[in-house]
Amino acid sequence: MQTHEIRKRFLDHFIAAGHTEVPSASLILDDPNLLFVNAGMVPFKPYFLGEQTPPFSRATSVQKCVRTLDIEEVGITTRHNTFFQMAGNFSFGDYFKREAIHFAWDLLTKSVDDGGYGIDPQKLWPTVYLDDDEAFGIWRDEIGVPAERIQRRGMKDNYWSMGVPGPCGPCSEIFYDRGPDYGREGGPEADEDRYIEIWNLVFMQNQRGEGGAKEDYEILGPLPKKNIDTGMGIERVACLLQNVDNVYETDLLKPVIDTAERLTGKTYGAPNSADDDVRFRVIADHARTAVMLIADGVLPSNDGRGYVLRRLLRRIVRSARLLGATGPTMAAFVDKVIETMSPSYPYLAEQADEIRAVAVGEEDAFLKTLSAGSKLFDDAAEATKSRGSSQITGSDAFTLHDTYGFPIDLTLEMAAEAGLSVDQAGFTELMAEQRSRAKADATARKHGHADMSVYRDFLDRGPTEFTGYTELASEAKVLGLVSAGERIQVAHPGDEIEVILDRTPLYAESGGQIADRGVITSADGVKLTVTDVQKVGKSVWRHRVRVDAGEVSEGADVLAQVDQSWRHGATQGHSGTHMVHAALREVLGPGATQAGSLNRPGYLRFDFHSQGPVTDSQRAQIEQIANSAVETNYPVHTFETGLDEAKAMGALALFGENYGDVVRVVEIGGPFSMELCGGTHVGSSAQIGPITILGESSVGSGVRRVEAYVGMDSFTYLSRERALLAGLASSLKVPSEQVPDRVENLVTRLRDAEKQLEKLKAEQARASASGLLDSAVRAGDIRVIGGRVADGLDGGELRSLATDLRARAGADPAVVALFSQTGEKLPFVVATNEAAREKGVRAGDLVKEVAPLVGGRGGGKPDLAQGSGVDAAGVDTALARIVTLAGE
């Protein structure tokens, strides 16, 4: 049975049992505890925590999940995956243990012809919590499982909580016996490799207190309503129904491994190929996870979610290279994942170009990193040998891995080729410290769970009515006041609070458009200045305000007003963003899709997918097309329709965004620009005013950014530029149109003069240094050539001079030490020739020894090292010390 069929049968089973199907939430939720959604119940947490009232009493879903705490362990075993699908059924104060157990058993054991999975009941072993006699009795007396196949287990295994104070309860897990080939008899208590868990039924009936995540916490008492939360692992069931050993051999991941075999020439599962098999599994697992993350809007970066994605993509690249791939592989892996996963997630096929562009862009960047890492490795290897050691330090290996992204397994391989080993114990210790810090951070985040229950009453009332599309002032009623997370009845002048209204014209920040500014007033003298507007649960507007006058209380009648000037500038910025997006796609092609945006009055910032920079001519063309659309004065139409209908019309959706069934379409100029957008816009394109693109830059792998002014801000910017040009023309005494040529001529002349000056400076330095050869001193049989040279030389010039003197010193052992006064700084360079190094004299050691004598520091390689100090009076002492050290 294919995985997509397993998924469909689960949903069909529970829909037939009266459950509402809830589509999978995005892998990214607004939850301070979570980097990614990591369990099927996460989207339902507000209901279980009592923060919101669920709109249904029964629900079912197949939730996308990602767990990345132990990325380095992926592939080493066949049980660990970063991405998985968790099927679940949920009851909110409706049914409880009996129904949950029967629902699960029926689906697992019902025949395939009848819509079930057709699993042999004799293969299934339930477990229950130690004292849960009720669940034990249901399994034994109603389901008919023999008592010897029902095992009681302790809190660690069969008692569930979210790891923080809140709902908890016993659980009953269902295990499948894979047979004696996989381990010893005795049920899950004896061997969880043979008996694998496929379903967990959580009976959420109690409230827990503070304490450890697993066992060390107090049960405070029963919940007001009992709930059910279950989770069935789709991938694990697929292993059983497809009769394969592990998830990597199922229909979703094996095709990716097949692709890797084709690209690398290696074979998965070949004799004596354990290391290669790990790499195949890493590719298959990480490719699927990366595709799902990118599709939900995650982009590679150096922190947070983006860093996790970057690590996954880089592990794919390095695994492919270690398997023997010599060229790019990412596009093939991404395409195969999309092919296998899109039957369950059709949007992957729709976003294929964007997903591929992000992943391939990161591959290209990392291949360059690998090249740079090889140079860094060479430096570490040389330093190791110069110390007389044969082992690269754990610190060097960790720095290569953590700071430069250079994989440890490549470090090990290259070290072996260089006749060196790596202090793996030291590396592992540093990695463990890093993981420990990460886990501590994760634990700390759990205590940062924002208490959103204060907004529950407002969420239960239904959404705030947003009137801002058609009016800038609306009469409203104060539904509630919130201060420091608590409901209050009244606020006084000087207070900064949140105000919840039943209706409002003030736009809440979303879709790249920042919140409106405005005021809330009342007939009895209340004046509240609105500083920000945010959404709660995507439906309730909370106005952050400062009480300037009067006392505002819950239930008051008020007038909410938008700052008209602010709104005018905001609509110009947002509509201008649509113009720039359309122009970008016209010039760069349909692949230049949106990757993020920010617009505020008079300004817009637009991020888009692109594998290379925008040329000057392309930038000019984009600006011209956008302004031509403004001048044409296209009408702006907005309307609501179904998501599928909007896409059929050609409306563009924001990459990674989750939309509802009904969407708002903003159409400017018919086919010129049509996007799904909830923002506020001008009435016609001419109201945007001029658009001036300020610049274009890179903001990440495969993502570029343009910034622009619109309206009066654009006019003001152009006026400043015109005044600047006029001033230059006046100073140069040429017409404005000749300024660029005249400036270019001046720059060329200046560069020529600088080159001539540098040449004279170098000749002067060589002349002053020539005398140093004649005045060299002997330290045993080593010749020391040193002293102060011409002032004003920087480190680079000193290096060039030192290497020249070293070459002129001949084959005899020689050390060159040069100092130069440059303002308040004293740069210095030490160089040694091969004969001196053979006698144990190393430039790096000498620099570290003498740098303090001139009030500085430095370091470098055995052949060439440099530093910088501030005390020129110490030069003679430093030179004497070098002579002493060279002669030892």
Side-chain angles (χ1 to χ4, degrees), residues 634-635 637 667-674:
Y634 287 131
H637 297 298
E667 177 190 67
I668 306 177
F672 180 75
S673 173
M674 185 184 298

Side-chain angles (χ1 to χ4, degrees), residues 725-726 728-730 732-744:
L725 179 62
L728 284 171
S730 176
L732 297 172
K733 295 181 172 53
V734 295
S736 296
E737 61 270 17
Q738 293 182 17
V739 166
D741 290 340
R742 178 59 62 90
V743 169
E744 183 178 0

Side-chain angles (χ1 to χ4, degrees), residues 123 158 198 500 809 811 823:
K123 295 282 189 180
N158 275 65
I198 57 175
I500 313 297

Side-chain angles (χ1 to χ4, degrees), residues 80 82 95 168 191 208 249 296 459 475 505 570 623 722 732 744 823 861:
H80 192 106
T82 52
Y95 63 82
C168 64
D191 190 337
R208 65 155 282 182
E249 298 176 10
D296 277 357
L459 291 164
E475 294 181 349
E623 195 173 57
R722 182 177 61 187
L732 297 172
E744 183 178 0
K861 298 179 182 180

Side-chain angles (χ1 to χ4, degrees), residues 514-517 562-571 600-601:
I514 66 174
D516 278 335
R517 300 294 184 265
V562 178
D563 182 320
Q564 293 189 33
S565 175
W566 180 277
R567 172 63 72 82
H568 176 65
T571 58
R600 61 173 184 258

